[in-house]
Amino acid sequence: MADHQTYYVPEQSKWPIVATVGLGVTLYGAASIMVNGNQGESTGGSWFMFWIGALIMAYMLFGWFGSVIRESRAGLYSDQMDRSFRWGMSWFIFSEVMFFAAFFGALFYVRVFVVPWIGGEGDKGSTNMLWEGFQASWPLINNPDPQVYQGPKEVIGPWGLPLINTILLVTSSFTVTIAHHALKAGNRAKVKLWLAATIALAVVFMFVQGYEYAHAYGDLDLTLQSGIYGSTFFMLTGFHGAHVMLGTLMLFIMLVRIIKGHFTEDNHFGFEAAAWYWHFVDVVWLGLFVFVYVI
Amino acid sequence: MRVHAKRAVALAAGLLSPAVVMADWTMNMAPGVTGTSNQIFSLHMTILWICVAIGVVVFGVMFWSIFAHRKSQGAKPANFHENTVVEILWTIIPLAILVAMAVPATATLVEMYDTSESEVDIKVTGYQWRWRYEYINDDFGYFSSLSTPREQIENRQAKGENYLLEVDNPLVIPVGKKVRFLLTANDVIHSWWVPEFGVKKDAIPGFINETWTRVDEPGIYRGQCTELCGKDHGFMPVVVEAVPEEEYNAWVAEQRAAAETERQLTEKDWTLDELMERGEKAYASACASCHQPDGTGMPPAFPALKGSQIATEDMAAHIDIVVNGKSGTAMQAFGGQLSEVDLAAVITYERNAWGNNTGEMVTPKEIFDYKNQE
Amino acid sequence: MSSVADTHSQEHHHGPAKGISRWLLTTNHKDIGSMYLIFSFAMFLLGGSMAMVIRAELFQPGLQIVQPEFFNQMTTMHGLIMVFGAVMPAFVGLANWMLPLMIGAPDMALPRMNNWSFWLLPCAFLILVSTLFMEGGAPNFGWTFYAPLSTTYGPPSTTFFIFAIHIMGVSSIMGAINVIATILNMRAPGMKMMKMPLFVWTWLITAFLLIAVMPVLAGAVTMMLMDINFGTSFFDASGGGDPVLFQHVFWFFGHPEVYIMILPAFGAISHIVPAFSRKPLFGYASMVYAVGAIALLSFLVWAHHMFTVGIPLAGQLFFMYATLLIAVPTGVKVFNWVTTMFRGSLSFEAPMLFAVAFIILFTIGGFSGLMLAIAPADFQYHDTYFVVAHFHYVLVPGAIFGIFASAYFWLPKWTGHMYDETLAKTHFWLSFIGMNLAFFPMHFLGLAGMPRRIPDYALQFSDFNMVSSIGAFMFGVTQLLFLFIVVKCVRGGEKAAAKPWDGAEGLEWTVPSPAPYHTFSTPPEVK
Ligand code: HEA
Ligand code: HEA
Ligand code: CUA
Ligand SMILES: [Cu+2]
């Protein structure tokens, strides 16, 4: 009962409207950059708009999360509020899972149906009439029409850098868990150490990933434009990479907050949310490793 | 004054008459002329009547309550709100009805999917906005585009009987034979539909879909493209002429001969006037839908050719864009779609029509050489 | 720290802030609910005006008032605006207003995010509508935006359209998260799951659908974005992709989306029918299970929109069977409503009129849906006006009538005044007649062979098209009457009691009318 009486409802807040303006301006700017760019027009103004929007977004993020953190530390949040945050974060992660599901679905569909059809197998095998000489294979090195989409020379094998990256991410899931247990036990020094270790692993991961991309573009001609293999490869690893960055940023903020002395043994949802997110990023990677690189 | 008034009345009457004369209140699907279309029709009627029957029962109970259980009539409410038996019943019964519907539907579907043992194979390719039919066993093919005049569409002329459902070159098929269609498209997705055959299948760029039909009654059958494919989606009809076998064979022989003559025309020496005349026709059927009959286009989507730099100055660029198209735009590569003669004619036409009076011409031979040098 | 003290102290002065900042900065579920409802009605008028352009052009054969290019833009924008701008926000608005009242919560679980969800919508639609004024025109590839018409062949404004969809998606997902958190976490003590009002149940499940499929739509448009601007080949066979891939991803979103547009209406109808039958809802538990079953099945039927694209036979059969199955739980709902009315004590105020029309006309729309689900028959129906008739029957007398019914039902609670019953009944009857006149002939047109999305048609379709257009104008003009009724009701009228409908049940009727700015700061006890 007491829980319900103290459910905190902030009376007014400027952050939502700031966030709306920020997001709108950023995306409008981004769209103008692309459209003007495609038509060979100047994109200076669009970039300006994009950065203004991004700045507003950054201001909003600091402000909004800042006030949530202040409210939390002022003890305004009840257990019930905490549960709302938990539901919110869980369903948000679920929505992210479905976002990746769209791309995984695309990958499976292409591999199981489309490429064999074009190659002359299965129900729509007569399609091969249109692509004489095309042979189905995966990874797809020779595209149906190499004049339009020049295929890659080679693709990235799983057992080199990707394996290292897998080990890095799996390890980081453990280190963040150790940090969490340490936080629950009230051992702050240990939290800092293991959280910092997690972030370090994440940074190395991103570095390796960047190196791999450079290799793909520079040496293998594996690019976004190199047909469906490149398209699915970069879409999946790219969006995953972006999520790693976001997750790392979250963990970093948690580290700063720990250093500042935020959180208690039994009240540290911000930390847990970041950890959940990190595990999610890790699981997606495992899916990627298996379906994009290995199989 | 009077004359004008009379003319106006005559025009108005002309414009309105089809609507009045042809008042048509067709309400149901046509059974069609093939086995498939008849099966579909009977499926359609069966389900329709099942739905009507269920509707009568459900709405019957409802209307009974509305009339008999009104508060204003002093109805006192009962208080029941559950009954497991009834609830199970009205789960099971609809389920059974559905199973009964699914059985014939499955049988029909399996048959529709069986494209084996065809006697004639025709490749149908959708273009923005016309169809190309290729008789793959007989080595000829042609385009089929809307033949309704612009004037009728823009209400400047009374509409004809087959308004929007008429083409220059219909597809011709023999009666009584299994005809297999291999459907694909050149640009966006189209869908090839002839209601009376019960055949509708999407034409997808880069892929081939198969479907088939066997028509038993000779006749002219009309349908339309049914997948939104851009501006003139509503203006790409399908017309099929089903003819007796001898007639069909004769027609095929004629087409093959015509294809041969066409190839020879490339060799002929053409004059500017001849090319202009032919070019005007080719332009009207292939290019005018985008660049407009008067060459003014519809900027910014479709550039004007009248006074355009490419069409008045740089001949090489002109040939290039018409033969190879421009990827990523609606301007297709016409090199494979039109004969050398038509390409030469259309380019010549564009360079001399609408005040683009360059006086330059390009011959079919030159186009032939251009294509083969690459 | 001082700012914290500020916000904290604000908690004590009740009642809304003054001026525009009340609306811009609010965190109050009732304010946000009102904004959603007003926004959605504005979009309904906008989308409806576009439908009027369509119907005016189709009044007669021949091209009269618009060119095909623009006609396609109208069709596309009409579909998009009605679906994403009118129906979905209207239901979110109802959820905002009613969920906390129904479950005894002080507000939505995440009030600031709630406000953000709302304000993103005007932002998204500003971008979407601005494409009408861009070079090359607005999106013209249908609300289903199939590739490659929308990618390689799309107008430049497509990129803006894509970002508008992204923003709408963010808005919907956050809105849905908020709904779920509210329902799962904010119920008054004693309100067990199986005691929740049906509107709450249907919204819980709708929210789940939203979170599951809006990201998939985001994925679809993101692939488009990449194909258009970054040279990928998801939807291009020459690089090993497939245009049909787009359709699979789109309809994986699209089919659940149509249930997103109907389930909350099912919920509201399940309140209104018992209230005016003065009899408890028949089969509460089976209603809940039915909604759950519809939601789960809705993930397995998407390819029934693609029967003609040439999916392999086994797939075709699977999707046909799964689609047919949906009729079973939906039937259960219809039967339950009818049985609720059976031996009740019925009266027919405006909400009930709309509810009864809903049941009848939605069922008709469901029947035509079932006919479409028979795959071989769909080869004839697909992409004709028969489909247009089907979905307008489930959307207009379904979703839209559901919204009107809810609005009349809860207007007294929102405004504290009774609406004008005579005018409301006039609104109902004119809508009912206009709507049937507009959409019923479309069945005939489709069966006779008229394809959809065409600006001009063969002569044999003239007569029914003219009838349909007349009905559409009638229906359209009638909606201005609704606007008038609502404005009149907000500004005054007979005072409404806390519970203006004698048969109504639920917590929302225990608070005064109009509902005070803050309700249930202390949760009620539910027995
Ligand atoms: C609110 C929205 C809504 C709802 C609820 C539905 C409900 C259903 N829809 Fe519809 N549909 C759309 C919106 C909706 N649809 C839209 C927008 C499109 C077109 C999209 C586009 O292409 O632009 C579409 C298109 C569409 C198609 C594709 C047609 C085509 O393009 O060729 C199909 C095919 O199967 C279909 C089927 C169904 C079925 C089986 C139901 C079922 O849920 C209906 C179930 C209900 C009943 C059956 C009635 C009540 C039941 C009983 C009384 C029980 C007893 C009955 C029997 C046993 C028969 N719909
Ligand atoms: C919830 C969704 C919804 C709703 C409510 C409606 C409402 C209406 N729709 Fe439709 N419609 C769709 C969803 C919806 N629609 C979708 C998804 C498509 C497919 C798009 C596509 O193919 O991509 C479609 C397509 C569609 C078509 C087919 C277009 C084509 O294939 O080319 C038509 C044609 O008649 C049509 C008509 C109407 C009409 C007359 C109304 C009426 O009910 C509207 C009534 C409302 C008003 C009129 C507004 C209020 C009044 C005023 C603003 C005053 C001014 C009025 C006058 C001047 C008379 N709609
Ligand atoms: Cu071709 Cu529509
Ligand atoms: Cu569907």
Side-chain angles (χ1 to χ4, degrees):
Chain A
M1 278 299 301
D3 287 355
H4 291 89
Q5 277 166 330
T6 55
Y7 200 88
Y8 173 72
V9 180
E11 201 67 16
Q12 294 223 307
S13 168
K14 73 175 176 192
W15 300 118
I17 197 81
V18 174
T20 305
V21 173
L23 190 63
V25 171
T26 313
L27 292 186
Y28 201 94
S32 320
I33 294 170
M34 295 176 199
V35 172
N36 291 339
N38 286 344
Q39 294 173 344
E41 284 159 30
S42 105
T43 53
S46 312
W47 277 106
F48 182 71
M49 189 168 178
F50 175 81
W51 284 114
I52 292 287
L55 273 178
I56 301 177
M57 287 298 278
Y59 166 66
M60 176 282 290
L61 284 172
F62 273 104
W64 194 332
F65 281 107
S67 55
V68 170
I69 292 168
R70 275 195 304 278
E71 286 159 13
S72 166
R73 293 186 41 79
L76 296 176
Y77 291 171
S78 58
D79 286 353
Q80 196 189 9
M81 192 83 191
D82 195 54
R83 283 199 298 278
S84 289
F85 287 142
R86 277 160 203 277
W87 280 124
M89 190 68 195
S90 327
W91 287 102
F92 168 65
I93 290 178
F94 175 60
S95 79
E96 292 268 40
V97 169
M98 292 309 292
F99 183 67
F100 277 98
F103 299 124
F104 275 109
L107 175 68
F108 297 153
Y109 180 74
V110 165
R111 288 186 56 172
V112 177
F113 295 110
V114 178
V115 173
W117 282 340
I118 303 181
E121 296 156 38
D123 285 286
K124 289 212 225 179
S126 39
T127 294
N128 194 237
M129 273 172 67
L130 302 172
W131 308 105
E132 250 160 81
F134 174 74
Q135 301 246 308
S137 69
W138 194 269
L140 189 58
I141 302 288
N142 294 310
N143 288 321
D145 186 350
Q147 309 253 284
V148 185
Y149 296 98
Q150 176 67 50
K153 288 202 201 96
E154 207 185 309
V155 301
I156 291 169
W159 307 118
L161 296 180
L163 181 65
I164 296 178
N165 259 349
T166 308
I167 296 169
L168 288 174
L169 269 196
V170 172
T171 315
S172 76
S173 250
F174 282 107
T175 52
V176 80
T177 307
I178 299 176
H180 186 202
H181 283 293
L183 182 56
K184 282 203 264 193
N187 187 343
R188 295 216 153 228
K190 201 171 159 195
V191 184
K192 280 178 218 162
L193 177 67
W194 288 103
L195 195 51
T198 311
I199 295 172
L201 287 167
V203 171
V204 178
F205 173 94
M206 287 189 281
F207 181 77
V208 174
Q209 183 88 352
Y211 180 80
E212 185 184 291
Y213 275 14
H215 177 54
Y217 263 82
D219 307 327
L220 306 181
D221 284 345
L222 175 60
T223 67
L224 276 170
Q225 290 92 335
S226 61
I228 195 67
Y229 187 88
S231 304
T232 49
F233 175 83
F234 283 107
M235 199 72 154
L236 279 159
T237 55
F239 269 107
H240 176 265
H243 283 75
V244 171
M245 269 183 225
L246 192 65
T248 312
L249 188 70
M250 287 185 187
L251 291 174
F252 180 74
I253 293 170
M254 293 311 138
L255 183 62
V256 173
R257 288 187 65 188
I258 299 270
I259 291 170
K260 280 184 156 184
H262 293 193
F263 299 130
T264 64
E265 274 100 90
D266 39 37
N267 191 353
H268 47 257
F269 177 67
F271 182 93
E272 282 176 305
W276 288 354
Y277 195 80
W278 194 248
H279 290 310
F280 151 72
V281 168
D282 193 23
V283 170
V284 171
W285 175 262
L286 292 179
L288 275 179
F289 184 62
V290 173
F291 292 112
V292 175
Y293 292 100
V294 178
I295 298 182
Chain B
M1 255 331 254
R2 303 277 291 289
V3 184
H4 282 295
K6 261 192 197 156
R7 277 194 192 150
V9 171
L11 185 62
L15 291 176
L16 285 175
S17 64
V20 181
V21 175
M22 312 227 343
D24 184 344
W25 303 92
T26 311
M27 295 175 42
N28 203 357
M29 188 189 278
V33 294
T34 64
T36 312
S37 70
N38 276 288
Q39 283 179 31
I40 293 177
F41 179 74
S42 75
L43 269 175
H44 160 72
M45 291 314 286
T46 318
I47 309 157
L48 179 64
W49 287 119
I50 293 178
C51 289
V52 169
I54 298 175
V56 167
V57 174
V58 176
F59 302 148
V61 174
M62 185 179 202
F63 284 120
W64 169 251
S65 317
I66 290 177
F67 289 114
H69 306 147
R70 259 175 298 167
K71 184 167 181 248
S72 55
Q73 306 293 305
K76 291 276 166 297
N79 197 29
F80 61 87
H81 55 85
E82 245 167 18
N83 185 327
T84 317
V85 178
V86 174
E87 288 177 56
I88 290 177
L89 269 183
W90 70 40
T91 311
I92 305 271
I93 295 175
L95 198 65
I97 297 177
L98 293 173
V99 173
M101 286 181 182
V103 174
T106 306
T108 308
L109 200 60
V110 169
E111 207 170 304
M112 289 170 81
Y113 262 73
D114 178 14
T115 52
S116 62
E117 289 168 25
S118 63
E119 292 156 283
V120 179
D121 293 341
I122 299 174
K123 184 168 164 227
V124 178
T125 311
Y127 286 83
Q128 276 180 330
W129 291 280
R130 55 227 163 93
W131 296 98
R132 182 174 175 84
Y133 301 118
E134 272 161 88
Y135 290 71
I136 29 189
N137 310 332
D138 290 301
D139 240 5
F140 69 88
Y142 55 87
F143 281 95
S144 171
S145 0
L146 179 76
S147 61
T148 304
R150 251 356 262 181
E151 287 73 32
Q152 292 190 14
I153 297 173
E154 283 159 7
N155 309 310
R156 284 182 272 122
Q157 201 183 76
K159 297 185 182 8
E161 184 187 358
N162 292 314
Y163 177 66
L164 295 188
L165 296 179
E166 51 203 346
V167 296
D168 46 7
N169 307 306
L171 175 69
V172 180
I173 58 169
V175 221
K177 295 217 159 170
K178 185 162 182 176
V179 182
R180 182 170 68 133
F181 299 107
L182 301 165
L183 289 145
T184 184
N186 180 58
D187 32 51
V188 300
I189 303 178
H190 303 263
S191 188
W192 196 82
W193 184 33
V194 181
E196 277 155 314
F197 298 173
V199 169
K200 179 185 288 154
K201 202 82 174 200
D202 290 4
I204 296 162
F207 291 84
I208 289 189
N209 267 333
E210 296 185 26
T211 186
W212 66 275
T213 193
R214 178 184 287 118
V215 186
D216 291 321
E217 282 170 49
I220 297 180
Y221 303 102
R222 295 167 200 279
Q224 292 184 68
C225 173
T226 50
E227 180 62 62
L228 177 60
C229 51
K231 179 168 77 68
D232 282 352
H233 160 59
F235 304 92
M236 59 182 289
V238 174
V239 179
V240 183
E241 224 179 299
V243 297
E245 201 182 340
E246 313 81 73
E247 207 176 311
Y248 174 75
N249 290 337
W251 179 82
V252 168
E254 203 180 294
Q255 293 298 310
R256 296 182 65 150
E260 188 49 41
T261 335
E262 187 72 10
R263 278 188 275 276
Q264 277 164 9
L265 276 182
T266 314
E267 305 298 317
K268 180 177 135 87
D269 283 323
W270 289 78
T271 66
L272 181 63
D273 287 341
E274 283 169 337
L275 282 175
M276 281 297 283
E277 197 188 323
R278 194 177 169 110
E280 184 165 6
K281 287 199 203 101
Y283 181 85
S285 84
C287 326
S289 58
C290 297
H291 295 291
Q292 300 304 306
D294 59 356
T296 50
M298 290 174 68
F302 308 113
L305 300 178
K306 183 178 173 180
S308 118
Q309 201 181 345
I310 290 184
T312 52
E313 289 167 26
D314 191 348
M315 171 74 96
H318 194 168
I319 298 178
D320 175 64
I321 195 166
V322 178
V323 172
N324 300 319
K326 184 153 175 192
S327 66
T329 74
M331 182 62 203
Q332 312 147 6
F334 284 93
Q337 299 183 28
L338 301 180
S339 66
E340 277 78 29
V341 180
D342 280 330
L343 287 168
V346 95
I347 292 170
T348 305
Y349 177 72
E350 281 174 358
R351 299 186 82 77
N352 294 287
W354 331 293
N356 284 0
N357 300 325
T358 58
E360 295 167 347
M361 66 177 266
V362 55
T363 63
K365 259 184 276 177
E366 285 170 292
I367 299 287
F368 184 83
D369 294 341
Y370 176 82
K371 276 197 194 167
N372 292 352
Q373 64 164 15
E374 293 179 339
Chain C
M1 286 309 286
S2 65
S3 69
V4 172
D6 282 352
T7 26
H8 193 45
S9 66
Q10 273 182 14
E11 238 194 324
H12 300 291
H13 69 78
H14 287 268
K18 293 280 169 301
I20 182 79
S21 79
R22 163 174 177 187
W23 303 103
L24 285 179
L25 311 182
T26 186
T27 51
N28 181 285
H29 73 101
K30 301 186 182 81
D31 283 351
I32 296 174
S34 305
M35 290 196 294
Y36 263 113
L37 289 170
I38 293 167
F39 173 79
S40 92
F41 192 70
M43 287 295 122
F44 177 64
L45 292 187
L46 182 60
S49 310
M50 291 170 176
M52 294 299 111
V53 175
I54 296 174
R55 282 309 339 160
E57 178 56 52
L58 294 178
F59 189 75
Q60 275 191 354
L63 294 178
Q64 282 85 22
I65 48 178
V66 295
Q67 287 302 306
E69 281 274 276
F70 188 69
F71 182 90
N72 289 345
Q73 297 175 28
M74 286 293 106
T75 301
T76 307
M77 295 293 264
H78 162 69
L80 289 170
I81 289 179
M82 284 300 194
V83 168
F84 294 103
V87 174
M88 291 170 68
F91 283 130
V92 184
L94 292 174
N96 257 295
W97 252 102
M98 300 318 295
L99 291 183
L101 287 180
M102 286 180 163
I103 63 174
D107 206 297
M108 295 294 278
L110 303 159
R112 273 177 290 219
M113 197 170 90
N114 199 13
N115 192 29
W116 194 23
S117 305
F118 170 74
W119 279 108
L120 281 177
L121 277 182
C123 170
F125 278 87
L126 208 65
I127 297 180
L128 185 64
V129 173
S130 75
T131 59
L132 275 168
F133 306 99
M134 286 178 191
E135 197 179 307
N140 52 12
F141 29 63
W143 86 285
T144 50
F145 45 101
Y146 282 5
L149 186 60
S150 62
T151 52
T152 318
Y153 296 85
S157 62
T158 311
T159 301
F160 288 91
F161 153 82
I162 289 172
F163 283 119
I165 295 281
H166 274 131
I167 300 177
M168 281 174 222
V170 173
S171 159
S172 295
I173 293 169
M174 289 196 306
I177 289 176
N178 221 330
V179 165
I180 295 202
T182 308
I183 297 175
L184 293 180
N185 189 32
M186 309 279 289
R187 275 167 293 138
M191 181 170 286
K192 305 229 166 48
M193 292 295 272
M194 287 309 277
K195 277 191 179 175
M196 291 190 324
L198 264 169
F199 184 69
V200 180
W201 257 116
T202 51
W203 242 114
L204 179 66
I205 290 167
T206 304
F208 166 72
L209 288 179
L210 276 168
I211 301 178
V213 301
M214 290 309 288
V216 177
L217 176 66
V221 292
T222 306
M223 287 187 244
M224 277 174 65
L225 184 77
M226 300 300 286
D227 267 16
I228 294 173
N229 295 300
F230 300 98
T232 54
S233 52
F234 287 103
F235 310 131
D236 187 347
S238 36
D242 183 353
V244 174
L245 167 62
F246 174 84
Q247 299 183 22
H248 281 290
V249 184
F250 179 85
W251 287 114
F252 184 85
F253 146 82
H255 186 81
E257 166 70 17
V258 308
Y259 292 106
I260 289 167
M261 292 190 283
I262 203 70
L263 293 184
F266 284 176
I269 297 299
S270 304
H271 288 239
I272 295 167
V273 169
F276 294 93
S277 303
R278 295 167 182 80
K279 184 165 158 275
L281 179 69
F282 187 85
Y284 172 89
S286 63
M287 283 299 218
V288 173
Y289 300 138
V291 179
I294 294 174
L296 291 182
L297 282 172
S298 76
F299 289 109
L300 303 176
V301 302
W302 74 86
H304 67 209
H305 297 272
M306 306 164 55
F307 281 146
T308 64
V309 302
I311 29 183
L313 180 62
Q316 198 90 339
L317 290 172
F318 169 82
F319 285 109
M320 173 168 83
Y321 300 149
T323 307
L324 290 174
L325 275 185
I326 294 197
V328 175
T330 318
V332 166
K333 300 196 72 74
V334 172
F335 301 142
N336 281 339
W337 290 321
V338 171
T339 314
T340 306
M341 289 167 68
F342 187 69
R343 294 188 48 216
S345 169
L346 278 58
S347 61
F348 296 94
E349 287 84 351
M352 183 63 165
L353 284 176
F354 276 105
V356 171
F358 171 97
I359 300 174
I360 297 173
L361 299 175
F362 170 79
T363 303
I364 293 177
F367 286 154
S368 57
L370 209 71
M371 296 173 73
L372 293 169
I374 303 286
D378 187 64
F379 280 92
Q380 292 288 45
Y381 307 136
H382 178 68
D383 265 338
T384 67
Y385 263 75
F386 192 79
V387 178
V388 179
H390 157 64
F391 67 74
H392 282 93
Y393 260 81
V394 282
L395 284 167
V396 177
I400 301 284
F401 276 21
I403 294 163
F404 284 146
S406 315
Y408 286 121
F409 190 51
W410 287 310
L411 258 179
K413 180 58 58 193
W414 299 337
T415 64
H417 305 128
M418 296 308 283
Y419 59 85
D420 185 325
E421 189 66 54
T422 321
L423 285 182
K425 282 190 170 140
T426 316
H427 172 224
F428 168 76
W429 284 110
L430 290 176
S431 296
F432 181 83
I433 297 168
M435 177 263 137
N436 281 293
L437 213 53
F439 299 117
F440 209 81
M442 289 183 185
H443 291 110
F444 307 143
L445 285 171
L447 293 176
M450 177 166 161
R452 57 192 282 209
R453 296 165 165 170
I454 57 175
D456 190 7
Y457 47 82
L459 299 179
Q460 69 262 37
F461 308 126
S462 312
D463 305 286
F464 280 125
N465 265 304
M466 195 176 279
V467 174
S468 171
S469 291
I470 293 171
F473 299 144
M474 175 173 167
F475 181 79
V477 174
T478 307
Q479 304 322 315
L480 296 176
L481 181 61
F482 177 71
L483 180 63
F484 176 75
I485 297 170
V486 173
V487 171
K488 187 166 169 228
C489 178
V490 171
R491 302 181 72 187
E494 186 194 332
K495 284 266 170 291
K499 183 173 149 181
W501 315 115
D502 53 341
E505 300 281 347
L507 285 178
E508 74 265 36
W509 307 111
T510 62
V511 301
S513 298
Y517 199 59
H518 292 288
T519 36
F520 299 126
S521 305
T522 320
E525 194 78 40
V526 179
K527 291 161 291 310

